[in-house]
């Protein structure tokens, strides 16, 4: 989001003689959420914008002129993508392929080319750019904290071929070695585990309740029910307890990357 929307919100708040805390109280939001919107770091939800309009007596201006996002993602993922950019902690589980924010460009292209109907070259380029833009949250050395829990199948399925897989696995190893992410593997020898049915993300925030996102073939759902999020968090914790420790996970990843390099 650009700063124009946030700047205008700040101008209206100051014109009304309100502090960020006073506006937050009137709009039933948190002060830090108001601060993020004014700084251009967040896009308010439609409900947020409606309450801000009501608190500032600005008609429906803030609701009508919400910034339009040009990111190329599936409709069902858009809400989760926005939350992903705001999260302070992200816990990913992947069953079949590397989570989006950890993907390299060539790996992402191979994943995106596998869908039906296949995208045009132009559309594929847009999708890859969006996926790499999502990964920029890792440019911050601290936030969000990211944990990736990967089924061993993620390493063994040669998406894009040996060279692409070696590059992708090495990329994740480097992120883990730099302490930017933690990566744990669920080995085939484990058998069944609580997260086997699908991929999932858990997200925590500074000023709003945690949320979860799960995805299957051409369908995804954002979950904000506290009871369901807690249930999914418990399943993640149980699976994580059965995963290989970080050191052993990285050793397996390095060995697998070398295997791909040998066959490349």
């Amino acid at each position: 989001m650009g700063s124009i929307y946030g700047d205008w919100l700040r101008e209206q708040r100051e014109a009304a003689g309100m502090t960020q805390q006073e506006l937050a109280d009137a709009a039933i939001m948190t002060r830090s959420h108001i601060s993020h919107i004014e700084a251009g770091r967040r896009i308010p939800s439609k409900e947020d914008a409606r309450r801000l309009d009501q608190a500032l007596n600005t008609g429906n201006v803030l609701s009508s002129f919400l910034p339009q996002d040009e990111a190329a993602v599936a409709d069902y993922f858009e809400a989760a993508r926005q939350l992903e950019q705001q999260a302070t902690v992200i816990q990913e589980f992947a069953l079949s392929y590397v989570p989006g924010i950890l993907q390299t460009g060539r790996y992402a292209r191979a994943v995106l080319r596998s869908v039906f109907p296949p995208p045009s070259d132009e559309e594929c380029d847009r999708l890859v750019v969006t996926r790499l833009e999502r990964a920029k949250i890792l440019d911050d050395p601290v936030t969000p904290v990211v944990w990736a829990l990967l089924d061993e199948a993620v390493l063994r399925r040669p998406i894009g071929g040996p060279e692409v897989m070696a590059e992708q696995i090495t990329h994740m190893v480097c992120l883990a070695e730099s302490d930017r992410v933690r990566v744990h593997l669920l080995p085939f020898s484990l058998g069944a585990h609580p997260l086997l049915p699908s991929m999932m993300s858990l997200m925590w925030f500074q000023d709003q309740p945690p949320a979860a996102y799960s995805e299957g073939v051409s369908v995804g759902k954002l979950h904000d029910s506290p009871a369901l999020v807690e249930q999914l968090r418990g399943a993640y914790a149980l699976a994580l307890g059965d995963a290989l420790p970080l050191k052993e996970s990285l050793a397996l990843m390095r060995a697998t990357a070398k295997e791909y390099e040998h066959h490349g």
Side-chain angles (χ1 to χ4, degrees):
M1 177 174 69
S3 62
I4 295 176
Y5 187 93
D7 288 345
W8 194 83
L9 172 60
R10 184 178 63 254
E11 290 170 3
Q12 298 305 307
R13 174 179 61 76
E14 291 175 348
M18 301 175 74
T19 64
Q20 288 183 340
Q21 186 60 61
E22 288 170 339
L23 177 57
D25 292 341
I28 318 175
M29 298 166 66
T30 64
R31 188 209 59 77
S32 59
H33 195 23
I34 298 293
S35 175
H36 286 315
I37 296 171
E38 290 187 354
R41 292 189 294 268
R42 293 195 183 179
I43 299 173
S45 67
K46 290 182 180 179
E47 179 59 21
D48 287 341
R50 184 192 68 77
R51 291 200 302 268
L52 288 169
D53 270 328
Q54 187 174 36
L56 291 169
N57 195 28
T58 48
N60 64 350
V61 176
L62 289 162
S63 302
S64 300
F65 294 97
L66 279 170
Q68 298 299 307
D69 202 308
E70 300 299 326
V73 295
D75 290 343
Y76 57 76
F77 181 67
E78 176 55 25
R81 185 191 69 83
Q82 291 189 23
L83 289 178
E84 178 182 76
Q85 301 298 306
Q86 303 169 17
T88 56
V89 177
I90 298 174
Q91 290 185 321
E92 296 270 13
F93 166 69
L95 180 65
S96 302
Y97 55 81
V98 173
I101 59 173
L102 301 181
Q103 291 180 8
T104 63
R106 292 201 296 172
Y107 183 93
R109 187 174 297 277
V111 169
L112 294 165
R113 283 288 190 192
S114 68
V115 303
F116 182 84
S120 65
D121 289 343
E122 182 180 84
E123 178 64 11
C124 191
D125 287 342
R126 291 182 65 238
L127 292 167
V128 170
V129 167
T130 295
R131 192 151 295 187
L132 296 179
E133 284 291 321
R134 286 173 53 203
K136 287 185 177 180
I137 60 175
L138 298 177
D139 290 347
D140 186 305
V142 178
T143 304
V145 174
V146 176
W147 288 22
L149 182 58
L150 310 178
D151 193 281
E152 188 176 345
V154 173
L155 302 187
R156 301 302 182 184
R157 188 176 301 280
I159 294 175
E163 184 179 342
V164 170
M165 285 301 298
E167 177 187 56
Q168 175 62 72
I169 295 171
T170 300
H171 173 64
M172 291 191 291
V173 169
C174 290
L175 286 171
E177 287 179 334
S178 68
D179 295 327
R180 186 58 190 86
V181 303
R182 290 186 65 91
V183 182
H184 294 272
L185 296 177
L186 290 163
F188 285 146
S189 60
L190 177 62
H193 57 77
L195 300 179
L196 199 56
S198 69
M199 66 77 66
M200 181 183 73
S201 296
L202 294 166
M203 294 172 281
W204 281 263
F205 310 90
Q206 182 181 16
D207 52 12
Q208 53 187 305
Y213 174 76
S214 60
E215 185 172 294
V217 179
S218 298
V219 64
K221 184 172 178 57
L222 186 65
H223 309 281
D224 56 10
S225 162
L228 181 54
V229 171
E230 179 61 21
Q231 179 182 339
L232 294 174
R233 187 203 64 77
Y236 190 99
L238 190 61
L240 183 61
D242 288 332
L244 295 178
L246 178 63
K247 185 176 179 179
E248 293 178 29
S249 294
L250 293 182
L252 178 55
M253 292 170 69
R254 292 190 195 98
T256 307
K258 286 182 179 180
E259 291 175 15
Y260 280 121
E261 289 170 355
H262 179 71
H263 292 96

CSV table of all heavy atoms in Angstrom, one decimal, residues 90-92 98-99 101-103 135 137-150 168-184 236 246-247 249-250 253:
chain,number,residue,atom,x,y,z
A,90,ILE,N,5.1,-16.8,11.9
A,90,ILE,CA,4.5,-17.6,10.9
A,90,ILE,C,5.0,-19.0,11.1
A,90,ILE,O,6.3,-19.2,11.1
A,90,ILE,CB,4.8,-17.1,9.5
A,90,ILE,CG1,4.3,-15.7,9.3
A,90,ILE,CG2,4.2,-18.1,8.5
A,90,ILE,CD1,4.6,-15.2,7.9
A,91,GLN,N,4.1,-20.0,11.3
A,91,GLN,CA,4.5,-21.4,11.3
A,91,GLN,C,3.9,-22.1,10.1
A,91,GLN,O,2.7,-22.1,10.0
A,91,GLN,CB,4.0,-22.0,12.6
A,91,GLN,CG,4.8,-21.5,13.9
A,91,GLN,CD,4.4,-22.3,15.1
A,91,GLN,OE1,3.2,-22.6,15.3
A,91,GLN,NE2,5.4,-22.5,16.0
A,92,GLU,N,4.7,-22.6,9.2
A,92,GLU,CA,4.3,-23.2,8.0
A,92,GLU,C,4.4,-24.7,8.1
A,92,GLU,O,5.3,-25.2,8.7
A,92,GLU,CB,5.2,-22.7,6.8
A,92,GLU,CG,5.1,-21.3,6.5
A,92,GLU,CD,4.0,-20.9,5.5
A,92,GLU,OE1,3.2,-21.8,5.2
A,92,GLU,OE2,4.0,-19.8,5.0
A,98,VAL,N,7.6,-26.7,-1.3
A,98,VAL,CA,8.1,-25.7,-0.4
A,98,VAL,C,7.1,-24.6,-0.2
A,98,VAL,O,6.5,-24.1,-1.2
A,98,VAL,CB,9.5,-25.2,-1.0
A,98,VAL,CG1,10.0,-24.0,-0.2
A,98,VAL,CG2,10.5,-26.3,-1.1
A,99,PRO,N,6.9,-24.1,1.0
A,99,PRO,CA,6.0,-22.9,1.2
A,99,PRO,C,6.4,-21.7,0.4
A,99,PRO,O,7.6,-21.5,0.1
A,99,PRO,CB,6.2,-22.6,2.7
A,99,PRO,CG,6.6,-23.9,3.3
A,99,PRO,CD,7.5,-24.6,2.3
A,101,ILE,N,6.8,-18.5,0.7
A,101,ILE,CA,7.8,-17.4,1.1
A,101,ILE,C,9.2,-18.0,1.1
A,101,ILE,O,10.2,-17.2,1.3
A,101,ILE,CB,7.4,-16.8,2.5
A,101,ILE,CG1,7.4,-17.9,3.6
A,101,ILE,CG2,6.1,-16.0,2.4
A,101,ILE,CD1,7.2,-17.3,5.0
A,102,LEU,N,9.4,-19.3,1.0
A,102,LEU,CA,10.7,-19.9,1.0
A,102,LEU,C,11.2,-20.3,-0.4
A,102,LEU,O,12.3,-20.9,-0.6
A,102,LEU,CB,10.8,-21.1,2.0
A,102,LEU,CG,10.4,-20.8,3.4
A,102,LEU,CD1,10.6,-22.1,4.2
A,102,LEU,CD2,11.3,-19.7,4.0
A,103,GLN,N,10.3,-20.1,-1.4
A,103,GLN,CA,10.6,-20.6,-2.7
A,103,GLN,C,11.6,-19.7,-3.5
A,103,GLN,O,11.6,-18.5,-3.3
A,103,GLN,CB,9.3,-20.7,-3.6
A,103,GLN,CG,8.4,-21.8,-3.1
A,103,GLN,CD,7.1,-21.9,-3.9
A,103,GLN,OE1,7.0,-21.2,-5.0
A,103,GLN,NE2,6.2,-22.7,-3.5
A,135,ALA,N,8.2,-13.1,-0.4
A,135,ALA,CA,9.3,-13.6,0.4
A,135,ALA,C,10.2,-12.4,0.9
A,135,ALA,O,11.0,-12.6,1.8
A,135,ALA,CB,10.2,-14.4,-0.6
A,137,ILE,N,9.4,-10.4,3.1
A,137,ILE,CA,9.2,-10.3,4.5
A,137,ILE,C,10.4,-10.8,5.3
A,137,ILE,O,10.7,-10.5,6.4
A,137,ILE,CB,7.9,-10.9,5.0
A,137,ILE,CG1,7.9,-12.4,4.7
A,137,ILE,CG2,6.7,-10.2,4.4
A,137,ILE,CD1,6.7,-13.2,5.3
A,138,LEU,N,11.2,-11.7,4.6
A,138,LEU,CA,12.4,-12.3,5.2
A,138,LEU,C,13.6,-11.3,5.1
A,138,LEU,O,14.6,-11.6,5.7
A,138,LEU,CB,12.7,-13.6,4.6
A,138,LEU,CG,11.7,-14.7,4.7
A,138,LEU,CD1,12.1,-15.9,3.9
A,138,LEU,CD2,11.4,-15.0,6.1
A,139,ASP,N,13.4,-10.2,4.4
A,139,ASP,CA,14.5,-9.2,4.4
A,139,ASP,C,14.7,-8.6,5.7
A,139,ASP,O,15.9,-8.2,6.1
A,139,ASP,CB,14.2,-8.1,3.3
A,139,ASP,CG,14.3,-8.6,1.9
A,139,ASP,OD1,14.8,-9.8,1.7
A,139,ASP,OD2,13.9,-8.0,1.0
A,140,ASP,N,13.7,-8.5,6.5
A,140,ASP,CA,13.8,-8.0,7.9
A,140,ASP,C,14.5,-9.1,8.7
A,140,ASP,O,14.1,-10.2,8.6
A,140,ASP,CB,12.4,-7.7,8.5
A,140,ASP,CG,12.5,-7.1,9.9
A,140,ASP,OD1,13.2,-7.7,10.8
A,140,ASP,OD2,11.9,-6.0,10.1
A,141,PRO,N,15.6,-8.8,9.4
A,141,PRO,CA,16.4,-9.8,10.0
A,141,PRO,C,15.7,-10.4,11.3
A,141,PRO,O,16.2,-11.5,11.8
A,141,PRO,CB,17.7,-9.1,10.5
A,141,PRO,CG,17.2,-7.6,10.6
A,141,PRO,CD,16.2,-7.4,9.5
A,142,VAL,N,14.6,-9.9,11.7
A,142,VAL,CA,14.0,-10.3,13.0
A,142,VAL,C,12.5,-10.8,12.8
A,142,VAL,O,12.1,-11.8,13.2
A,142,VAL,CB,14.1,-9.2,14.1
A,142,VAL,CG1,13.4,-9.7,15.3
A,142,VAL,CG2,15.5,-8.9,14.3
A,143,THR,N,11.7,-9.9,12.2
A,143,THR,CA,10.3,-10.2,12.1
A,143,THR,C,9.8,-10.4,10.7
A,143,THR,O,10.3,-9.6,9.8
A,143,THR,CB,9.5,-9.0,12.7
A,143,THR,OG1,10.0,-8.8,14.1
A,143,THR,CG2,8.0,-9.2,12.8
A,144,PRO,N,9.0,-11.3,10.4
A,144,PRO,CA,8.4,-12.3,11.3
A,144,PRO,C,9.3,-13.4,11.6
A,144,PRO,O,10.2,-13.8,10.8
A,144,PRO,CB,7.2,-12.8,10.5
A,144,PRO,CG,7.6,-12.8,9.1
A,144,PRO,CD,8.5,-11.5,9.0
A,145,VAL,N,9.1,-14.0,12.8
A,145,VAL,CA,9.7,-15.3,13.1
A,145,VAL,C,9.1,-16.4,12.3
A,145,VAL,O,7.9,-16.4,12.2
A,145,VAL,CB,9.6,-15.6,14.6
A,145,VAL,CG1,10.1,-17.0,14.9
A,145,VAL,CG2,10.2,-14.6,15.5
A,146,VAL,N,9.9,-17.2,11.6
A,146,VAL,CA,9.3,-18.2,10.6
A,146,VAL,C,9.8,-19.6,11.0
A,146,VAL,O,11.0,-19.8,11.1
A,146,VAL,CB,9.7,-17.8,9.2
A,146,VAL,CG1,9.2,-18.9,8.2
A,146,VAL,CG2,9.1,-16.5,8.8
A,147,TRP,N,8.9,-20.5,11.2
A,147,TRP,CA,9.2,-21.9,11.3
A,147,TRP,C,8.6,-22.6,10.2
A,147,TRP,O,7.4,-22.4,9.8
A,147,TRP,CB,8.6,-22.4,12.7
A,147,TRP,CG,9.3,-22.0,13.9
A,147,TRP,CD1,10.1,-20.9,14.0
A,147,TRP,CD2,9.3,-22.6,15.2
A,147,TRP,NE1,10.6,-20.8,15.3
A,147,TRP,CE2,10.1,-21.8,16.0
A,147,TRP,CE3,8.7,-23.8,15.7
A,147,TRP,CZ2,10.3,-22.2,17.4
A,147,TRP,CZ3,8.9,-24.1,17.0
A,147,TRP,CH2,9.7,-23.3,17.8
A,148,ALA,N,9.3,-23.5,9.6
A,148,ALA,CA,8.8,-24.3,8.5
A,148,ALA,C,8.9,-25.8,8.9
A,148,ALA,O,10.0,-26.3,9.2
A,148,ALA,CB,9.6,-24.1,7.2
A,149,LEU,N,7.8,-26.5,8.9
A,149,LEU,CA,7.7,-27.9,9.2
A,149,LEU,C,7.4,-28.6,7.9
A,149,LEU,O,6.3,-28.4,7.3
A,149,LEU,CB,6.6,-28.1,10.2
A,149,LEU,CG,6.4,-29.6,10.7
A,149,LEU,CD1,7.7,-30.2,11.3
A,149,LEU,CD2,5.3,-29.6,11.7
A,150,LEU,N,8.3,-29.4,7.3
A,150,LEU,CA,8.2,-30.0,6.0
A,150,LEU,C,8.1,-31.5,6.0
A,150,LEU,O,9.0,-32.1,6.7
A,150,LEU,CB,9.4,-29.6,5.1
A,150,LEU,CG,9.8,-28.1,5.1
A,150,LEU,CD1,11.0,-27.9,4.2
A,150,LEU,CD2,8.6,-27.2,4.6
A,168,GLN,N,17.0,-24.9,-4.6
A,168,GLN,CA,15.9,-24.6,-3.6
A,168,GLN,C,16.2,-25.1,-2.2
A,168,GLN,O,16.0,-24.4,-1.3
A,168,GLN,CB,14.6,-25.3,-4.1
A,168,GLN,CG,13.4,-25.1,-3.1
A,168,GLN,CD,13.0,-23.7,-2.9
A,168,GLN,OE1,12.4,-23.1,-3.7
A,168,GLN,NE2,13.3,-23.2,-1.7
A,169,ILE,N,16.7,-26.3,-2.1
A,169,ILE,CA,17.0,-26.9,-0.8
A,169,ILE,C,18.2,-26.1,-0.2
A,169,ILE,O,18.2,-25.8,1.0
A,169,ILE,CB,17.4,-28.4,-0.9
A,169,ILE,CG1,16.1,-29.2,-1.4
A,169,ILE,CG2,17.9,-28.9,0.4
A,169,ILE,CD1,16.4,-30.6,-1.7
A,170,THR,N,19.2,-25.8,-1.0
A,170,THR,CA,20.3,-25.0,-0.5
A,170,THR,C,19.9,-23.6,0.0
A,170,THR,O,20.4,-23.1,1.0
A,170,THR,CB,21.4,-24.8,-1.6
A,170,THR,OG1,21.9,-26.1,-2.0
A,170,THR,CG2,22.6,-24.0,-1.1
A,171,HIS,N,18.9,-23.0,-0.7
A,171,HIS,CA,18.4,-21.7,-0.3
A,171,HIS,C,17.8,-21.9,1.1
A,171,HIS,O,18.0,-21.0,2.0
A,171,HIS,CB,17.3,-21.3,-1.3
A,171,HIS,CG,16.5,-20.1,-0.9
A,171,HIS,ND1,17.1,-18.8,-0.7
A,171,HIS,CD2,15.2,-19.9,-0.5
A,171,HIS,CE1,16.2,-17.9,-0.3
A,171,HIS,NE2,15.1,-18.6,-0.2
A,172,MET,N,17.0,-22.9,1.4
A,172,MET,CA,16.4,-23.1,2.7
A,172,MET,C,17.5,-23.4,3.8
A,172,MET,O,17.4,-22.9,4.9
A,172,MET,CB,15.4,-24.2,2.7
A,172,MET,CG,14.1,-23.9,1.9
A,172,MET,SD,12.8,-25.1,2.1
A,172,MET,CE,13.5,-26.5,1.3
A,173,VAL,N,18.5,-24.1,3.4
A,173,VAL,CA,19.6,-24.4,4.3
A,173,VAL,C,20.3,-23.1,4.7
A,173,VAL,O,20.5,-22.9,5.9
A,173,VAL,CB,20.6,-25.4,3.7
A,173,VAL,CG1,21.8,-25.5,4.6
A,173,VAL,CG2,19.9,-26.8,3.6
A,174,CYS,N,20.5,-22.3,3.8
A,174,CYS,CA,21.2,-21.0,4.0
A,174,CYS,C,20.3,-20.1,5.0
A,174,CYS,O,20.9,-19.5,5.9
A,174,CYS,CB,21.5,-20.2,2.7
A,174,CYS,SG,22.8,-21.0,1.7
A,175,LEU,N,19.0,-20.1,4.7
A,175,LEU,CA,18.1,-19.3,5.6
A,175,LEU,C,18.2,-19.8,7.0
A,175,LEU,O,18.2,-19.1,8.0
A,175,LEU,CB,16.7,-19.3,5.1
A,175,LEU,CG,16.4,-18.5,3.8
A,175,LEU,CD1,15.0,-18.8,3.3
A,175,LEU,CD2,16.5,-17.0,4.1
A,176,ALA,N,18.2,-21.2,7.2
A,176,ALA,CA,18.3,-21.8,8.5
A,176,ALA,C,19.6,-21.5,9.2
A,176,ALA,O,19.7,-21.3,10.4
A,176,ALA,CB,18.0,-23.3,8.4
A,177,GLU,N,20.7,-21.6,8.4
A,177,GLU,CA,22.0,-21.5,8.9
A,177,GLU,C,22.3,-20.0,9.4
A,177,GLU,O,23.0,-19.8,10.3
A,177,GLU,CB,23.1,-21.8,7.9
A,177,GLU,CG,23.2,-23.3,7.7
A,177,GLU,CD,24.2,-23.7,6.6
A,177,GLU,OE1,24.5,-22.8,5.7
A,177,GLU,OE2,24.7,-24.8,6.6
A,178,SER,N,21.5,-19.1,8.8
A,178,SER,CA,21.7,-17.7,9.2
A,178,SER,C,20.7,-17.3,10.3
A,178,SER,O,20.6,-16.2,10.8
A,178,SER,CB,21.3,-16.8,8.0
A,178,SER,OG,20.0,-16.9,7.6
A,179,ASP,N,20.0,-18.4,10.8
A,179,ASP,CA,19.0,-18.2,11.9
A,179,ASP,C,17.8,-17.4,11.6
A,179,ASP,O,17.1,-16.9,12.4
A,179,ASP,CB,19.7,-17.6,13.2
A,179,ASP,CG,20.8,-18.5,13.8
A,179,ASP,OD1,20.6,-19.7,13.7
A,179,ASP,OD2,21.8,-18.0,14.3
A,180,ARG,N,17.6,-17.2,10.2
A,180,ARG,CA,16.4,-16.4,9.8
A,180,ARG,C,15.1,-17.2,9.9
A,180,ARG,O,14.1,-16.7,10.2
A,180,ARG,CB,16.6,-15.9,8.4
A,180,ARG,CG,15.5,-14.9,7.9
A,180,ARG,CD,15.4,-13.8,8.9
A,180,ARG,NE,14.2,-12.9,8.7
A,180,ARG,CZ,13.0,-13.2,9.2
A,180,ARG,NH1,12.8,-14.2,10.0
A,180,ARG,NH2,12.0,-12.4,9.0
A,181,VAL,N,15.2,-18.5,9.6
A,181,VAL,CA,14.1,-19.4,9.8
A,181,VAL,C,14.6,-20.7,10.5
A,181,VAL,O,15.8,-21.0,10.5
A,181,VAL,CB,13.5,-19.8,8.4
A,181,VAL,CG1,13.1,-18.6,7.6
A,181,VAL,CG2,14.4,-20.7,7.6
A,182,ARG,N,13.6,-21.4,11.0
A,182,ARG,CA,13.9,-22.8,11.5
A,182,ARG,C,13.2,-23.7,10.6
A,182,ARG,O,12.0,-23.5,10.3
A,182,ARG,CB,13.4,-22.9,13.0
A,182,ARG,CG,14.2,-22.2,14.0
A,182,ARG,CD,13.7,-22.5,15.4
A,182,ARG,NE,14.0,-23.9,15.7
A,182,ARG,CZ,15.1,-24.3,16.3
A,182,ARG,NH1,16.1,-23.4,16.6
A,182,ARG,NH2,15.3,-25.6,16.6
A,183,VAL,N,13.9,-24.8,10.2
A,183,VAL,CA,13.3,-25.8,9.3
A,183,VAL,C,13.4,-27.2,10.0
A,183,VAL,O,14.5,-27.6,10.5
A,183,VAL,CB,14.0,-25.9,8.0
A,183,VAL,CG1,13.3,-26.9,7.1
A,183,VAL,CG2,14.0,-24.5,7.3
A,184,HIS,N,12.3,-27.9,10.1
A,184,HIS,CA,12.2,-29.2,10.7
A,184,HIS,C,11.6,-30.2,9.7
A,184,HIS,O,10.5,-29.8,9.1
A,184,HIS,CB,11.5,-29.2,12.0
A,184,HIS,CG,12.2,-28.5,13.1
A,184,HIS,ND1,13.1,-29.0,13.9
A,184,HIS,CD2,12.0,-27.2,13.5
A,184,HIS,CE1,13.5,-28.1,14.8
A,184,HIS,NE2,12.9,-27.0,14.5
A,236,TYR,N,-0.2,-28.9,15.0
A,236,TYR,CA,1.2,-28.5,14.6
A,236,TYR,C,2.2,-28.8,15.7
A,236,TYR,O,3.3,-29.3,15.4
A,236,TYR,CB,1.2,-27.0,14.3
A,236,TYR,CG,2.4,-26.5,13.6
A,236,TYR,CD1,2.4,-26.3,12.2
A,236,TYR,CD2,3.6,-26.2,14.3
A,236,TYR,CE1,3.5,-25.8,11.5
A,236,TYR,CE2,4.7,-25.7,13.6
A,236,TYR,CZ,4.7,-25.5,12.3
A,236,TYR,OH,5.8,-25.1,11.6
A,246,LEU,N,16.6,-29.6,14.5
A,246,LEU,CA,17.1,-28.7,13.4
A,246,LEU,C,18.4,-29.2,12.8
A,246,LEU,O,18.6,-29.3,11.6
A,246,LEU,CB,17.3,-27.3,14.0
A,246,LEU,CG,17.9,-26.3,13.1
A,246,LEU,CD1,17.0,-26.0,11.9
A,246,LEU,CD2,18.2,-25.0,13.8
A,247,LYS,N,19.3,-29.6,13.7
A,247,LYS,CA,20.6,-30.1,13.2
A,247,LYS,C,20.5,-31.3,12.2
A,247,LYS,O,21.1,-31.4,11.2
A,247,LYS,CB,21.5,-30.5,14.4
A,247,LYS,CG,23.0,-30.8,14.0
A,247,LYS,CD,23.8,-31.1,15.2
A,247,LYS,CE,25.2,-31.5,14.8
A,247,LYS,NZ,26.1,-31.7,16.0
A,249,SER,N,17.7,-32.2,10.6
A,249,SER,CA,17.0,-31.8,9.5
A,249,SER,C,17.9,-31.1,8.4
A,249,SER,O,17.8,-31.4,7.2
A,249,SER,CB,15.9,-30.8,9.9
A,249,SER,OG,14.9,-31.4,10.7
A,250,LEU,N,18.8,-30.2,8.9
A,250,LEU,CA,19.7,-29.6,8.0
A,250,LEU,C,20.7,-30.6,7.3
A,250,LEU,O,21.0,-30.5,6.2
A,250,LEU,CB,20.5,-28.5,8.7
A,250,LEU,CG,19.6,-27.3,9.1
A,250,LEU,CD1,20.5,-26.2,9.8
A,250,LEU,CD2,18.9,-26.7,7.9
A,253,MET,N,18.8,-32.3,4.6
A,253,MET,CA,18.6,-31.4,3.5
A,253,MET,C,19.9,-31.2,2.7
A,253,MET,O,19.9,-31.2,1.5
A,253,MET,CB,18.1,-30.0,4.0
A,253,MET,CG,16.7,-30.1,4.6
A,253,MET,SD,16.2,-28.6,5.4
A,253,MET,CE,16.1,-27.4,4.1
